[in-house]
Amino acid sequence: MSLVTLTRRLLNLSAQGSPLRRSAFVLASDTAGLKRCSLPGQLQACCTRQRNVSTSTQPLRADSKVTINFINRDGEKITAKGSPGESLLDVVINQDLDFDGFGACEGTLACSTCHLIFDEDVYKKLGPVTDEEMDMLDLAYGLTDTSRLGCQICLTRSLDGITARVPDSVTDIRQSEDVSS
Amino acid sequence: MATHKALWKVPMFKFFFTPKGVRGLATFQHACSPKVCIVGGGPAGFYTAQHLVKTRPDVEVDIYERLPVPFGLVRFGVAPDHPEVKNVMNTFTQTAQHARCSFHGNVRVGKDVTVQELQESYHAVVLSYGAEGNRNMGVPGEDLDGVYSAKDFVGWYNGLPRNRHLRPDLSCETAVVLGQGNVALDVARILLSPVDILKKTDITQPALDAVSKSSVRRVLIVGRRGPLQVACTIKELREMVNLPGTRPEMVVSEFDGIAEKLKALPRPRKRLTELLLKAAVETPGEKELERLKSDKQAWGFRFFRSPVEVLPSADHTRVAGIRLAVNRLVGEGEGARAEATGEVEDMECGLVVSSIGYKSLAIDPVVPFDSRKDVIPNTMGRVQNAAGLYCSGWVKRGPTGVIATTMNDSFDTARTLLHDMDKGILDISTAKPGSQGVAALLHKRGVKPVSFSDWEKIDIEETRRGEARGKPREKLLDVGEMLQVAWA
């Protein structure tokens, strides 16, 4: 029964493309005003990029992969690889990185749970930020001047080796107020 | 059933949530495993459950929900035109299908089973039942026809069974929404959105029919304080600003002195205020002016006003307007207070929706409740003076914040609970019967719970009905019908 529901849902949402694609990414492509990640000369939107859920298909050569270093909430460094055109959220999902609660709205710019913090020089390389991304960032925990949403950052070769820090979630002012009251 | 669940989900759902316990089905239903029960199947309940089953490989979690359907305010609160926000249901579904997590709908805690009985069956009980009450305005005329709480109004267009008979009269031209939070903006947006947009959402058919015939052309959103204190977030404000066929209609003088204060504001408040100023004060460009001229509808904030009385029609049967006290601000910034000047003004309207906040209600006499703050008194999710009781979500910290707020808050409570298990603060040494104990009680009382796979039948039926109308879902509005489909 569950399988039926799932298949039905995915079929419904996949207006164009493989029914195995994640619903979120299909929705993203339908939402106006979203940032489109584009590769130089290729104009490929990372959020609409077709992807097989199975990890066995890896048509790209290993050397075309982009290495990303994540610093998780415990301060540990986790190195992952992604393909150009994928978003940083894609990398977290595809590599099964265990950042609890990361990407709650599945990359549709409706939450701020894929919030990542960068060094200033890296931040400058990430490209322009849309108003809609800024709107969501404004609600993020531990917002900094070099914060971005992982779902809006498209991997390119020039980002090879960058470090992205997952902010500590337990920094909400309202919660500390609650405890003291 | 557990086997069936486990078989298909591993390869399909590898993201966000690795079901560690699924691997060894031997861990399932251990007599001596720690058993946790969660009261309320909304986001707070599911996020608490998610963190518990994911972090501790032997804990078993049961979620009890009053309605036959899960997801709480994600289903009944999130606006129909915000389908992206509802994507969190996919993660909740994975949690519910986890081998060590079960959903039990159609069970009213406090009525069908008491909290004390739950405590006898579980090592810990987490109260995550949200805020189902609403704050009243406390003014004369509040009970007139045409006056609704936002909670009921939202429940009506989102298919909450208890609000299905609301049928608000939308034959007036001007509606007044009291309160300036995101719920207030949701209500305004649903009232003014083009039907072509709404008909592709999961708004209920009766609500869609009513909104299509609506005469409401103007929505005024009233707040007791000023532009620097609006409670909505910028995404919702931007949606109002960009709403097709609708132009902003503000009172420019209410923004006096605001532009000068921008510089000192923190970024979120600054960006919100800039957008507000742009909509209210800035002279639009030529193209925008053209659009505005053709817009037949209008929305606007009205600041520094508090409701004094809902004014009746000549025959005293329904609302004809609202009397507002004019306030001035005492103090600055987020903490500024509204103080009445003594002046009042009347505003003509045929519909009043009060959106001044939800509030939690006490569920059971054994659970401490702070009736002044309308929350369960707690320290980091531990209910005060009540060993074994925890809380998360709105009932823990009050009805504010976006879904990520509730997520973090629920993870915090789960962390506290796990910490207490580890440190022996919570006694898990004696075996507890868990859901089996509760099932026996419910059976004796003639209560039949709805399982998650039962819900999936409802889900399929709703999706099927939605398809026929070009909508993602057509919600069942009646609990009896839900049960019928669930047990078919």
Side-chain angles (χ1 to χ4, degrees):
Chain A
M1 197 59 74
S2 319
L3 188 57
V4 175
T5 321
L6 171 83
T7 316
R8 182 185 289 268
R9 183 175 296 139
L10 288 173
L11 280 170
N12 277 345
L13 289 168
S14 317
Q16 67 288 73
S18 155
L20 275 178
R21 261 199 292 167
R22 284 247 317 283
S23 57
F25 293 87
V26 181
L27 274 175
S29 67
D30 297 338
T31 311
L34 285 192
K35 185 190 172 214
R36 288 280 161 274
C37 307
S38 53
L39 294 172
Q42 194 175 349
L43 267 181
Q44 184 179 40
C46 67
C47 296
T48 57
R49 191 170 166 275
Q50 182 145 353
R51 174 183 43 247
N52 199 321
V53 173
S54 153
T55 46
S56 59
T57 10
Q58 290 181 341
L60 291 159
R61 280 171 297 122
D63 60 2
S64 70
K65 292 270 184 179
V66 180
T67 302
I68 308 290
N69 302 303
F70 291 96
I71 310 283
N72 73 10
R73 294 188 180 115
D74 298 325
E76 294 159 359
K77 185 171 152 183
I78 297 159
T79 300
K81 284 185 190 295
S83 305
E86 284 182 338
S87 75
L88 281 182
L89 174 62
D90 292 342
V91 176
V92 172
I93 292 160
N94 293 342
Q95 304 298 310
D96 266 341
L97 304 186
D98 185 16
F99 307 148
D100 215 3
F102 201 83
C105 80
E106 306 185 355
T108 56
L109 263 186
C111 75
S112 54
T113 56
C114 63
H115 175 200
L116 292 169
I117 299 171
F118 300 88
D119 285 341
E120 202 169 332
D121 54 326
V122 175
Y123 179 81
K124 283 180 187 151
K125 283 202 283 188
L126 299 176
V129 193
T130 61
D131 283 343
E132 287 74 15
E133 182 183 347
M134 290 286 263
D135 290 357
M136 283 300 131
L137 277 170
D138 280 355
L139 304 176
Y141 290 79
L143 176 68
T144 71
D145 289 339
T146 55
S147 291
R148 290 292 303 267
L149 294 181
C151 68
Q152 298 301 300
I153 293 166
C154 203
L155 291 192
T156 57
R157 293 288 313 151
S158 68
L159 297 182
D160 192 42
I162 62 163
T163 299
R165 188 164 61 81
V166 184
D168 190 356
S169 64
V170 203
T171 49
D172 190 19
I173 307 154
R174 282 162 292 196
Q175 278 169 24
S176 43
E177 277 169 355
D178 275 358
V179 172
S180 64
S181 64
Chain B
M1 190 177 64
T3 338
H4 151 80
K5 286 196 291 195
L7 277 176
W8 66 268
K9 68 180 290 223
V10 177
M12 298 296 284
F13 282 110
K14 55 191 287 295
F15 59 105
F16 303 129
F17 192 15
T18 317
K20 291 181 185 126
V22 171
R23 220 173 296 136
L25 280 172
T27 60
F28 187 62
Q29 284 282 325
H30 258 314
C32 54
S33 59
K35 295 189 173 64
V36 177
C37 146
I38 291 174
V39 179
F46 273 100
Y47 277 127
T48 309
Q50 173 183 329
H51 197 81
L52 288 173
V53 293
K54 186 173 164 179
T55 313
R56 191 169 160 132
D58 61 345
V59 72
E60 286 169 24
V61 180
D62 288 310
I63 301 173
Y64 290 91
E65 162 61 44
R66 180 183 50 185
L67 288 166
V69 294
F71 310 141
L73 279 187
V74 175
R75 176 180 164 106
F76 295 115
V78 172
D81 57 343
H82 286 169
E84 324 81 51
V85 180
K86 300 186 195 209
N87 279 345
V88 296
M89 293 197 289
N90 299 334
T91 308
F92 297 165
T93 297
Q94 291 169 53
T95 302
Q97 289 167 338
H98 191 286
R100 287 180 287 111
C101 184
S102 301
F103 172 82
H104 310 268
N106 196 38
V107 178
R108 296 167 303 172
V109 172
K111 291 197 176 83
D112 299 330
V113 57
T114 66
V115 171
Q116 198 183 334
E117 286 165 339
L118 290 176
Q119 287 191 280
E120 283 157 14
S121 285
Y122 294 91
H123 295 101
V125 175
V126 185
L127 302 149
S128 311
Y129 61 83
E132 56 170 323
N134 66 279
R135 294 191 187 283
N136 292 327
M137 291 186 281
V139 301
E142 198 166 357
D143 301 327
L144 284 168
D145 274 357
V147 184
Y148 307 96
S149 73
K151 191 182 78 70
D152 290 344
F153 195 82
V154 169
W156 167 69
Y157 67 62
N158 273 336
L160 189 64
R162 66 151 70 159
N163 296 130
R164 60 182 298 209
H165 300 298
L166 194 78
R167 298 197 189 99
D169 182 347
L170 306 178
S171 62
C172 60
E173 195 176 307
T174 300
V176 166
V177 181
L178 297 160
Q180 298 178 324
N182 283 341
V183 177
L185 265 61
D186 282 349
V187 169
R189 201 176 61 252
I190 295 299
L191 282 171
L192 294 173
S193 281
V195 174
D196 282 345
I197 292 178
L198 292 180
K199 73 180 184 195
K200 293 176 194 144
T201 73
D202 68 0
I203 188 171
T204 66
Q205 197 58 38
L208 182 63
D209 292 343
V211 172
S212 334
K213 291 182 207 125
S214 162
S215 307
V216 176
R217 294 285 171 270
R218 185 165 170 257
V219 179
L220 299 176
I221 306 162
V222 177
R224 65 189 204 282
R225 301 191 291 167
L228 288 176
Q229 288 83 28
V230 282
C232 62
T233 55
I234 189 165
K235 176 194 174 189
E236 281 70 16
L237 177 62
R238 199 180 292 284
E239 286 174 319
M240 287 310 296
V241 171
N242 295 336
L243 198 60
T246 306
R247 64 191 151 75
E249 181 203 293
M250 309 272 194
V251 179
V252 175
S253 63
E254 291 182 344
F255 293 85
D256 284 351
I258 298 294
E260 291 72 34
K261 290 181 181 155
L262 274 179
K263 224 175 155 182
L265 298 174
R267 171 177 141 178
R269 176 60 73 184
K270 181 168 180 257
R271 294 187 65 248
L272 180 67
T273 311
E274 279 170 345
L275 181 60
L276 195 51
L277 275 172
K278 194 172 169 224
V281 194
E282 223 172 71
T283 321
E286 218 167 279
K287 205 170 152 195
E288 181 69 356
L289 212 58
E290 206 53 43
R291 172 180 96 100
L292 296 182
K293 259 194 267 173
S294 62
D295 289 345
K296 291 183 177 60
Q297 303 188 128
W299 73 279
F301 282 122
R302 291 295 178 273
F303 295 104
F304 312 110
R305 302 288 185 273
S306 299
V308 177
E309 184 183 354
V310 181
L311 304 168
S313 56
D315 59 0
H316 288 268
T317 56
R318 53 172 296 110
V319 53
I322 186 156
R323 180 159 297 159
L324 300 165
V326 180
N327 301 327
R328 65 171 153 252
L329 273 194
V330 181
E332 288 272 328
E334 310 285 335
R337 260 181 330 107
E339 190 180 80
T341 59
E343 199 185 322
V344 295
E345 70 177 30
D346 293 349
M347 200 178 263
E348 212 176 288
C349 63
L351 173 71
V352 171
V353 181
S354 80
S355 181
I356 53 174
Y358 290 44
K359 70 173 187 184
S360 293
L361 305 175
I363 196 176
D364 191 306
V366 303
V367 182
F369 194 78
D370 181 338
S371 48
R372 198 172 51 86
K373 291 183 189 156
D374 296 316
V375 294
I376 294 176
N378 70 91
T379 312
M380 294 164 74
R382 270 182 216 103
V383 179
Q384 283 171 14
N385 308 316
L389 286 185
Y390 296 81
C391 58
S392 64
W394 280 6
V395 79
K396 169 187 175 190
R397 64 184 156 79
T400 56
V402 292
I403 201 138
T405 325
T406 285
M407 182 184 86
N408 284 312
D409 161 281
S410 304
F411 288 174
D412 283 347
T413 292
R415 272 189 281 266
T416 300
L417 206 168
L418 293 168
H419 170 269
D420 288 0
M421 279 183 185
D422 288 345
K423 301 286 175 201
I425 299 168
L426 180 71
D427 180 19
I428 49 170
S429 59
T430 46
K432 295 264 188 176
S435 62
Q436 287 177 0
V438 176
L441 286 174
L442 293 175
H443 182 74
K444 216 175 355 177
R445 290 165 193 169
V447 178
K448 191 175 169 192
V450 168
S451 70
F452 201 78
S453 51
D454 291 337
W455 143 250
E456 286 174 323
K457 291 188 217 159
I458 300 176
D459 187 30
I460 288 173
E461 175 62 15
E462 290 185 339
T463 311
R464 191 186 63 78
R465 291 187 192 188
E467 256 165 42
R469 291 190 163 118
K471 297 162 82 174
R473 169 188 304 279
E474 187 64 55
K475 291 177 190 168
L476 301 187
L477 304 178
D478 179 66
V479 170
E481 195 182 2
M482 289 176 183
L483 294 177
Q484 223 170 20
V485 172
W487 297 332

